[in-house]
């Protein structure tokens, strides 16, 4: 008899956590494990702003999935673009563009999320995202290049526009991105004697009435005060009306001349979820507390793409799309997959939130571990300690700690790596959110490629 085939989609916190647990707890002869991911690494997403600001190198937060020789999971380099639940087939577009089908007996859907965009004129053509490693590295090059181009220009209007930067999104990603990159430009401008430091202006805007409301009023205000002290203008209740190559129009009527629009206004579940034709909750796949899709044999979903009931909060609460939940859900869903294999009962996922940390760069941070409000160096130590301990490998921990130490002792560097020599790459160019099939296209493809004649 052939061994059961377990297919895991996605190599984020949830997917990798699931795979590693399966490898440790399942004997090799009990099941075959396959992982679908475009990159053969797990990205530690919370530290992405520090890559964009140059505090960390890209390699330090890209944890290789092939480094250990003891792991036996087969990796398919590509992205899942459709799933036929009845036929138990996952349609995959490989990194070469070839379409392949992968059959499974059990599937764990952890495709994560993509940047949430709206129908704002010019947004996807002119905004930069902060969701992938490539975007962070590209954005660092772009920001430094604006200083170079402003320094080279004799046009006061062009110089001023290149030194204005707009970040949309007052959540953790947007706030940390604005804080870290502002610190980068503040340090870099000292090396440009022709530039007036007062011309550098950072704008952080969000349609919400509060900055990072999950932190509570006091810590949210503390974070806003830190940003204001650094010269970052925070505008709440405001969004983008339209974007162009050299200016951005806010919904309050202001027009800001800029060449840099960074969009971090939330995420939505991967478009893969829509190909299933199953029930969703605000775009996330509706699963039960065991992270199983009701009515479907051997289908599990978790992480940002699934609406997992939050048993710790009760009522109709669902788990927020955080790394903290995704890591724990990954291990728990692996246990439930194994229980299904062995005809054992499944157990519900329950985890009480441990708190939140926000690293604003330097000695600035706000943290709320276990409900305790912290600020300054203590909060910074907690934030970095949490991230460091959450890194999956000792190699990654050593690299990150070395980067932090070097940055603290030697300061920032302002080297461009050459991304700006290629064609511009904006929000629409990195996440490939338009490559997915519709549910009808998935069924038609599977019926065509798996017909009895073939």
């Amino acid at each position: 008899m052939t061994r059961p085939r377990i297919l895991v989609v996605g190599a984020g916190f949830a997917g990798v956590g699931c795979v590693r647990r399966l490898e440790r707890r399942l004997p090799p002869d009990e099941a075959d494990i396959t992982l679908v991911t475009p990159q053969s690494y797990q990205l530690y997403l919370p530290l992405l702003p520090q890559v964009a600001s140059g505090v960390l190198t890209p390699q330090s937060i890209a944890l290789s999935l092939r480094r250990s020789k003891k792991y036996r999971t087969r990796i398919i380099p590509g992205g899942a673009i459709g799933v036929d639940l009845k036929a138990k087939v996952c349609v995959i577009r490989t990194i070469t563009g070839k379409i392949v089908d992968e059959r499974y007996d059990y599937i764990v859907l952890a495709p994560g999320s993509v940047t949430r965009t709206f129908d704002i004129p010019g947004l996807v053509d002119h905004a930069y995202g902060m969701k992938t490693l490539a975007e962070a590295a590209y954005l660092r090059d772009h920001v430094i290049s604006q200083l170079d181009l402003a320094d080279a220009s004799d046009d006061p209007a062009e110089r001023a526009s290149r030194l204005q930067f707009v970040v949309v999104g007052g959540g953790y990603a947007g706030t940390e991105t604005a804080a870290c990159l502002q610190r980068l430009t503040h340090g870099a401008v000292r090396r440009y004697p022709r530039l007036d430091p007062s011309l550098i202006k950072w704008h952080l805007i969000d349609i919400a009435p509060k900055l990072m409301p999950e932190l509570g009023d006091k810590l949210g205000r503390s974070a806003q005060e830190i940003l204001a002290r650094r010269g970052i203008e925070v505008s709440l209740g405001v969004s983008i009306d339209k974007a162009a190559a050299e200016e951005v129009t806010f919904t309050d009527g202001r027009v800001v001349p800029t060449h840099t629009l960074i969009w971090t206004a939330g995420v939505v579940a991967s478009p893969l979820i829509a190909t299933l034709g199953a029930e969703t909750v605000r775009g996330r796949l509706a699963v039960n507390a065991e992270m199983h899709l009701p009515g479907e044999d051997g289908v599990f979903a978790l992480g940002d793409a699934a609406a997992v009931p939050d048993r710790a909060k009760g009522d109709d609460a669902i788990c927020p799309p955080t790394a903290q939940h995704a890591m724990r859900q990954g291990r728990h869903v692996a246990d439930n997959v194994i229980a299904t294999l062995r005809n054992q009962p499944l157990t519900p996922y329950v985890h009480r939130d441990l708190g939140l940390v926000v690293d604003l760069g330097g000695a600035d941070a706000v943290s709320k571990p276990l409900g305790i409000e912290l600020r300054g160096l203590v909060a910074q130590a907690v934030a970095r300690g949490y991230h460091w301990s959450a890194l999956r490998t000792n190699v990654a921990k050593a690299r990150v700690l070395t980067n932090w130490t070097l940055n603290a002792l030697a300061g920032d560097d302002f080297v461009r790596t050459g991304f700006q020599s290629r064609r511009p790459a904006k929000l629409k160019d990195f996440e490939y959110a338009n490559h997915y099939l519709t549910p009808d296209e998935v069924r038609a493809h599977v019926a065509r490629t798996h017909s009895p004649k073939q």
Side-chain angles (χ1 to χ4, degrees):
M1 295 178 63
T2 59
R3 290 188 293 269
R5 296 162 296 188
I6 302 172
L7 179 64
V8 180
V9 177
F13 291 106
V16 172
C18 175
V19 166
R20 294 305 185 228
R21 185 80 147 207
L22 290 172
E23 288 176 326
R24 291 186 179 98
R25 298 201 168 185
L26 271 181
D29 60 352
E30 191 170 352
D32 293 327
I33 307 169
T34 302
L35 175 65
V36 179
T37 174
Q39 295 91 17
S40 59
Y41 61 80
Q42 176 195 357
L43 177 64
Y44 192 84
L45 200 63
L47 291 178
L48 212 53
Q50 294 191 36
V51 172
S53 64
V55 173
L56 298 176
T57 60
Q59 189 181 13
S60 63
I61 67 167
L63 287 65
S64 173
L65 300 177
R66 299 186 187 274
R67 185 174 183 84
S68 176
K69 296 179 180 178
K70 67 180 181 180
Y71 296 127
R72 65 180 191 275
T73 297
R74 171 192 169 212
I75 298 177
I76 300 179
I81 59 173
V83 178
D84 188 327
L85 296 177
K86 291 184 178 179
K88 290 198 169 188
V89 172
C90 181
V91 185
I92 300 166
R93 187 190 303 273
T94 68
I95 56 175
T96 63
K98 182 181 178 182
I99 305 297
V100 299
D101 297 340
E102 185 70 17
R103 289 189 175 276
Y104 63 85
D105 297 296
Y106 303 90
I107 188 168
V108 178
L109 297 167
S113 56
V114 297
T115 300
R116 178 181 61 183
T117 58
F118 300 98
D119 191 18
I120 299 173
L123 175 63
V124 296
D125 293 315
H126 300 293
Y128 299 91
M130 264 291 288
K131 194 74 170 64
T132 68
L133 193 61
E135 284 176 314
Y138 188 93
L139 188 58
R140 171 177 165 78
D141 259 23
H142 170 80
V143 169
I144 296 175
S145 74
Q146 297 313 297
L147 299 178
D148 288 339
L149 292 168
D151 185 62
S153 176
D154 294 321
D155 181 352
E158 181 189 1
R159 181 174 290 187
S161 68
R162 290 196 180 278
L163 297 179
Q164 289 210 74
F165 307 88
V166 177
V167 180
V168 183
Y172 304 108
T175 302
E176 290 187 339
T177 297
C180 290
L181 286 175
Q182 183 277 335
R183 193 167 180 270
L184 172 69
T185 56
H186 179 74
V189 74
R190 300 171 188 169
R191 275 73 172 180
Y192 295 84
R194 294 182 70 241
L195 294 182
D196 180 358
S198 66
L199 289 177
I200 296 182
K201 297 180 181 179
W202 281 86
H203 303 264
L204 175 62
I205 70 173
D206 195 287
I207 196 64
K210 296 179 181 179
L211 194 70
M212 294 182 293
E214 299 89 344
L215 283 174
D217 290 342
K218 290 183 179 179
L219 283 185
R221 283 197 300 271
S222 295
Q224 192 166 341
E225 289 169 3
I226 291 170
L227 299 180
R229 189 167 64 245
R230 291 195 191 171
I232 299 175
E233 182 179 326
V234 179
S235 300
L236 300 175
V238 178
S239 189
I240 295 296
D241 185 55
K242 61 181 178 179
E246 298 182 5
E247 67 178 27
V248 173
T249 304
F250 293 178
T251 53
D252 62 4
R254 282 181 290 166
V255 178
V256 176
T258 180
H259 294 255
T260 308
L261 171 61
I262 304 170
W263 181 266
T264 62
V267 296
V268 293
S270 166
L272 177 68
I273 297 305
T275 73
L276 275 66
E279 181 185 353
T280 59
V281 178
R282 294 195 293 276
R284 300 167 72 181
L285 191 63
V287 296
N288 56 29
E290 291 76 25
M291 292 174 281
H292 178 258
L293 182 60
E296 298 293 342
D297 179 36
V299 180
F300 297 84
L302 65 162
D304 293 7
V308 179
D310 194 340
R311 285 286 187 90
K313 292 182 179 178
D315 298 325
D316 296 325
I318 61 175
C319 296
T322 63
Q324 182 181 150
H325 278 289
M327 286 188 288
R328 289 164 176 81
Q329 288 174 4
R331 295 192 292 268
H332 196 95
V333 83
D335 291 341
N336 279 345
V337 170
I338 295 171
T340 303
L341 270 169
R342 298 171 180 173
N343 294 315
Q344 297 171 350
L346 308 185
T347 58
Y349 169 77
V350 182
H351 170 66
R352 193 170 298 280
D353 206 308
L354 298 178
L356 305 164
V357 295
V358 181
D359 188 337
L360 299 174
D364 294 324
V366 290
S367 300
K368 197 175 182 180
L370 301 174
I372 303 171
E373 296 186 350
L374 302 173
R375 299 167 180 80
L377 282 173
V378 175
Q380 181 66 282
V382 170
R384 293 200 170 181
Y386 171 78
H387 289 314
W388 185 83
S389 64
L391 290 166
R392 185 173 50 81
T393 68
N394 291 329
V395 172
K397 290 179 179 180
R399 284 176 175 156
V400 167
L401 187 59
T402 300
N403 285 174
W404 280 338
T405 303
L406 284 174
N407 183 259
L409 295 176
D412 297 317
D413 66 70
F414 313 104
V415 177
R416 287 190 289 116
T417 52
F419 281 112
Q420 294 298 309
S421 62
R422 65 185 291 277
R423 66 177 180 82
K426 302 297 174 64
L427 189 62
K428 65 178 182 179
D429 297 311
F430 283 102
E431 294 188 38
Y432 309 105
N434 60 339
H435 287 188
Y436 294 84
L437 304 177
T438 67
D440 289 340
E441 288 173 336
V442 173
R443 288 191 290 270
H445 168 81
V446 172
R448 183 172 62 253
T449 57
H450 296 276
S451 63
K453 293 181 180 179
Q454 298 182 13

